[in-house]
């Protein structure tokens, strides 16, 4: 029997609906560290597919994924990828970290294999209302704020996507009136099909900003922006609303892909990402409302733009006024490692901005602090413009301790801004040196401004390593009789 004869005929559908997956040969490429690959394997098995899970890492490097898959009828190929798996599959579910130009994916395309992603499996089956958020900075916070505010208005809302984990296992719990807010990275958007498989088009999407990042993958800012722009393809062509940043930049000339000019303009909402954060003026149901700024809500100043975008998304879903009223119920909670305040150390505040992998995001964090800063930064530089960091550090950073592949280069960069700098051999050494240099009233800021891949698998692992090193420094200080202030609530 030929391979074409053995394929499952899915008819005119997108081929990714649950009913179309039964009996198909599916390869999940990359079991991942955030749950997406494992979620895809479990979902495909539940739909009746025959599944191969393959990852270049060994079993010893994937203990959590293997625990999740223990006892399931999945063939695991670890430590390698087999060409025949990609050539003989009906479907390959690709980890977003794998570039579309990967040779194995080209072989799969040549063989007529359908390529998809975990996120597109979800959008092809989700029965609920959908909202999407992307951007270089702020997409996780905007996603979290939007879901939290929607819940406060009485809607059944949850967040997912690039935040980590997989929502495929929750599909049975979702209802048509519920809302899922998806954070979508440029990698995830780039990997979507053409057209995208959607059970329901998105009611609203937001782009927080588009600045230079991930150029090692996309090559140019224009290509990166084009990947981000694909979020507009997810919108309902008649009623979907796009929330975009105002002012110059890659998003300035973005237009909706469907509808006449008047309708497209009506369905495009522009928010000012640079207005004063002391109080926010937002539009709800066509009327302007003034709401408290980030500080009144327990958030750093840089979250003002993200809060504006979240409120605009709520308004697009018809609950803008209720969301504004809900702001005063309780402080909003940002995701971890986003300028998150930890317990003070020796009279100095401590801030974990471990999500930062670019110089401009660390510069934004520096502008949010009003105390002399002791900065810990470093990792693997992304070949992005760095002068913005040197400028932000001038007069703000009292001392800096750098680490990783970029330790020397970043020490030299910060020194041009008049900062006393020390290049350290490791993150742990940088934390120790920074803790020893602290004075009461300082702000200790961990904001790497670089990728993590020289020493850690992702920014979360690196941020947790920072916290572990910090606790060891704290314990040593206590042993020496150092005075520590009481922990504060996280910001």
């Amino acid at each position: 029997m030929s391979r074409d004869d053995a394929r499952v005929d899915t008819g005119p559908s997108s081929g990714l609906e649950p009913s179309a997956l039964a009996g198909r040969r599916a390869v999940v490429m990359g079991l991942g560290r955030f749950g997406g690959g494992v979620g895809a394997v479990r979902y495909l098995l539940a739909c009746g597919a025959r599944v191969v899970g393959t990852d270049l890492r060994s079993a010893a490097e994937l203990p959590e994924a293997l625990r999740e898959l223990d006892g399931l009828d999945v063939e695991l190929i670890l430590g390698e990828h087999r060409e025949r798996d990609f050539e003989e599959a009906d479907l390959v579910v690709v980890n977003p970290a794998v570039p579309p130009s990967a040779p194995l994916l080209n072989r799969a395309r040549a063989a007529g294999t359908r390529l998809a992603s975990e996120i597109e499996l979800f959008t092809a089956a989700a029965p609920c209302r959908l909202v999407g958020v992307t951007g270089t900075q702020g997409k996780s916070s905007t996603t979290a704020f939007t879901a939290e505010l929607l819940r406060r208005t009485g809607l059944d809302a949850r967040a997912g996507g690039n935040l980590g984990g997989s929502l495929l296992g929750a599909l049975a719990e979702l209802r048509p009136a519920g809302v899922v807010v998806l954070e979508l990275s440029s990698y995830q958007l780039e990997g979507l099909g053409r057209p995208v498989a959607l059970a329901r088009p998105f009611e609203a999407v937001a782009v927080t900003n588009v600045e230079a990042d991930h150029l090692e993958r996309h090559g140019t800012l224009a290509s990166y922006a084009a990947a981000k722009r694909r979020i507009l393809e997810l919108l309902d062509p008649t009623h979907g609303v796009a929330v975009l940043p105002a002012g110059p930049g890659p998003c300035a000339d973005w237009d909706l892909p469907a509808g006449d000019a008047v309708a497209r303009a009506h369905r495009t909402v522009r928010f000012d990402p640079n207005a004063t954060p002391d109080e926010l003026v937002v539009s709800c149901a066509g009327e302007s409302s003034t709401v408290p700024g980030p500080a009144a809500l327990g958030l750093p100043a840089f979250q003002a733009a993200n809060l504006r975008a979240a409120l605009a998304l709520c308004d697009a879903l018809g609950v803008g006024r209720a969301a504004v009223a809900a702001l005063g119920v309780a402080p909003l909670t940002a995701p971890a490692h986003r300028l998150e305040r930890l317990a003070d150390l020796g009279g100095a505040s401590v801030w974990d901005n471990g999500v930062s992998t670019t110089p401009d995001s660390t510069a934004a964090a520096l502008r949010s602090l009003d105390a002399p800063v002791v900065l810990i930064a470093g990792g693997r530089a992304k070949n992005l413009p760095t002068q913005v960091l040197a400028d932000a550090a001038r007069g703000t950073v009292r001392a800096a301790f750098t680490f990783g592949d970029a330790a020397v280069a970043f020490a030299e960069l910060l020194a041009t801004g008049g900062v006393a700098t020390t290049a350290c051999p490791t993150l742990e050494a940088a934390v120790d040196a920074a803790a020893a240099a602290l004075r009461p009233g300082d702000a200790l800021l961990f904001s790497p401004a670089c990728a993590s891949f020289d020493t850690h698998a992702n920014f979360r692992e690196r941020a947790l390593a920072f916290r572990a090193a910090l606790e060891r420094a704290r314990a040593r200080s206590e042993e020496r009789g150092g005075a520590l202030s009481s922990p504060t609530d996280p910001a």
Side-chain angles (χ1 to χ4, degrees), residues 113-124:
T113 298
R114 171 70 181 271
L115 303 184
S117 63
E118 180 267 342
I119 206 70
E120 197 167 8
L121 289 177
F122 177 79
T123 62

Side-chain angles (χ1 to χ4, degrees), residues 307-358:
L307 184 56
R308 286 189 190 90
L311 288 168
L313 287 172
C314 290
D315 192 47
L317 268 65
V319 293
R321 289 177 179 169
V324 167
L327 279 174
V329 172
L332 286 172
T333 303
H337 314 301
R338 275 79 175 171
L339 204 60
E340 180 181 2
R341 188 166 184 176
L342 307 180
D344 290 3
L345 176 63
S349 60
V350 180
W351 302 86
D352 175 0
N353 195 48
V355 70
S356 168
T357 62
T358 63

Side-chain angles (χ1 to χ4, degrees), residues 285-296:
E287 299 179 1
S288 294
S289 299
T290 301
V291 301

Side-chain angles (χ1 to χ4, degrees), residues 113-158:
T113 298
R114 171 70 181 271
L115 303 184
S117 63
E118 180 267 342
I119 206 70
E120 197 167 8
L121 289 177
F122 177 79
T123 62
C128 56
R129 306 169 73 185
L130 294 173
V131 175
V133 180
T134 194
T136 306
Q137 300 171 23
K139 58 185 177 292
S140 295
S141 294
T142 300
T143 299
F145 295 161
T146 303
E148 185 171 349
L149 288 171
L150 291 175
R151 285 192 293 271
R152 291 185 186 184
T153 69
L155 291 174
D156 178 12
R158 63 181 74 196

Side-chain angles (χ1 to χ4, degrees), residues 421-449:
T421 61
T422 302
C424 302
T426 64
L427 169 59
E428 290 73 18
V431 173
D432 288 344
L438 285 176
R439 302 170 184 168
D442 282 347
L444 174 62
L445 172 64
F446 174 65
S447 189

